[in-house]
Amino acid sequence: MSADLHIHTTASDGSMSPKQVIEMAFKLRLKSIAISDHDTVDGIDEALASSKKLGIKVIPAIELSSIYNSRDIHILGFLINHKNLKLLESLRSLREARLERAEWIAECLQKQGLDLSFDEVMETAGKASVGRPHIARLLVEKGYVSGFSNAFIKYLRRGALCFKEKFVYPVDRSISIIHEAGGISIFAHPGLAHLDEYIDKFIDMGLDGIEAFHPEHPAQDIERYIKVAHDKGLLITGGSDCHGPLSTHGLRLGTVFVPDEVVDKLEEYRRVSRL
Ligand code: AMP
Ligand code: FE
Ligand code: FE
Ligand code: ZN
């Protein structure tokens, strides 16, 4: 148990700051971690700075929300240059689209008679890239719903009263954004929505690997993805998808077994390939 390559912070929808994640990872004796926030690299500098003092390896990463064939797909990027200008430009567009969407949702909630303003939503999000989890938190705080998941059920999930599609890049574009920033592209948690049939399509788009170890992958999924990766010459990665102790799953940090070898292979791949 010494690597965790899928972690969210307050830069997206996690409840721990990058510094808190590093301190917790140190306590748990993790050797390497990847900060992989949704659609933002804003947490990486703080994580890198905190990690130096504690001797933990931080892999700069991202989890890009993407779409293929009308399905939501998450593409992880590892060992990215998080200062890459094209990457930052692509992320800025996503962030602006999220702002517009949050404003639309806030207005929709007002039309339902709820006393909830866009400013309050932005306050809840703080420096983070605003998303439905922030609105859900506010709905709970204001007593409009009895719990976080009920906020999604009643207002925020697809088909609910104030659902709004989020602008995301198609999978091929996400893969090239990651490659242009010198990173390695990985299909995140393919087992979650049973999307194995897409693996070959994404390989044609330049995909470098798949996430095998994930808390919602049962043992047989993990074994299958390791085999698929071996057969198709793909890398494997894995992590806890930790969103901090306040998330519905609790603190997942370090709870998924990820061999150190996974990190060595990522670094070797990056050295040997053109990335
Ligand atoms: P967004 O990026 O704004 O669309 O928000 C996506 C995030 O909302 C996901 O990463 C989850 O953390 C959370 N989420 C999405 N659907 C649900 C749901 N039905 N119940 C609880 N949380 C959810
Ligand atoms: Fe999330
Ligand atoms: Fe994900
Ligand atoms: Zn994630």
Side-chain angles (χ1 to χ4, degrees):
M1 197 173 77
S2 59
D4 188 335
L5 304 183
H6 192 150
I7 303 170
H8 298 272
T9 75
T10 45
S12 64
D13 58 348
S15 66
M16 287 193 288
S17 69
K19 184 166 180 271
Q20 287 171 323
V21 167
I22 300 295
E23 286 166 358
M24 190 63 85
F26 180 73
K27 277 194 205 148
L28 295 169
R29 296 168 183 265
L30 292 171
K31 192 167 149 193
S32 333
I33 63 159
I35 299 293
S36 60
D37 276 305
H38 298 288
D39 307 325
T40 178
V41 292
D42 287 356
I44 292 174
D45 278 332
E46 183 183 319
L48 284 171
S50 314
S51 69
K52 289 204 179 90
K53 289 169 227 146
L54 297 175
I56 289 178
K57 181 182 282 181
V58 168
I59 295 175
I62 193 159
E63 183 173 23
L64 284 176
S65 315
S66 314
I67 192 143
Y68 179 77
N69 204 13
S70 307
R71 301 295 301 268
D72 290 324
I73 307 287
H74 289 178
I75 302 291
L76 289 156
F78 290 102
L79 293 167
I80 49 169
N81 170 9
H82 65 291
K83 309 272 190 203
N84 177 272
L85 290 179
K86 273 193 176 164
L87 169 72
L88 294 173
E89 184 59 40
S90 306
L91 298 182
R92 200 170 307 131
S93 306
L94 291 177
R95 198 178 175 99
E96 279 162 18
R98 276 174 168 281
L99 278 173
E100 284 168 25
R101 170 179 180 245
E103 191 167 14
W104 185 96
I105 297 175
E107 280 169 14
C108 172
L109 292 168
Q110 285 162 18
K111 283 184 200 142
Q112 307 297 322
L114 274 59
D115 174 23
L116 181 149
S117 69
F118 177 55
D119 282 350
E120 287 172 309
V121 172
M122 293 313 293
E123 223 169 275
T124 308
K127 280 195 235 156
S129 188
V130 64
R132 288 179 295 165
H134 305 112
I135 303 176
R137 235 179 268 168
L138 197 55
L139 286 167
V140 175
E141 256 174 53
K142 287 181 166 257
Y144 286 124
V145 288
S146 59
F148 190 81
S149 18
N150 286 334
F152 278 88
I153 291 168
K154 185 152 186 211
Y155 296 110
L156 302 173
R157 73 176 179 187
R158 190 180 293 277
L161 284 167
C162 291
F163 172 75
K164 174 103 176 141
E165 200 77 58
K166 173 173 68 177
F167 166 73
V168 297
Y169 294 115
V171 167
D172 57 348
R173 178 80 191 277
S174 293
I175 292 173
S176 59
I177 290 169
I178 290 165
H179 283 166
E180 278 172 18
I184 297 170
S185 59
I186 302 284
F187 185 4
H189 43 66
L192 250 62
H194 313 286
L195 297 171
D196 290 21
E197 59 183 295
Y198 293 159
I199 294 173
D200 283 337
K201 307 232 164 42
F202 297 168
I203 292 173
D204 291 342
M205 299 174 186
L207 187 79
D208 303 294
I210 49 180
E211 187 176 45
F213 308 97
H214 186 277
E216 284 147 78
H217 279 174
Q220 64 265 32
D221 274 6
I222 296 175
E223 273 170 38
R224 189 174 73 255
Y225 291 129
I226 291 173
K227 185 169 186 310
V228 166
H230 182 263
D231 293 349
K232 297 183 189 288
L234 294 169
L235 290 164
I236 51 164
T237 66
S240 67
D241 212 346
C242 164
H243 282 70
L246 302 181
S247 95
T248 45
H249 298 290
L251 178 74
R252 282 169 152 180
L253 193 66
T255 55
V256 169
F257 172 74
V258 182
D260 280 329
E261 191 192 63
V262 165
V263 177
D264 301 339
K265 291 216 165 128
L266 277 177
E267 288 175 334
E268 188 191 326
Y269 186 89
R270 161 100 184 242
R271 256 196 316 274
V272 172
S273 65
R274 87 265 102 69
L275 296 169

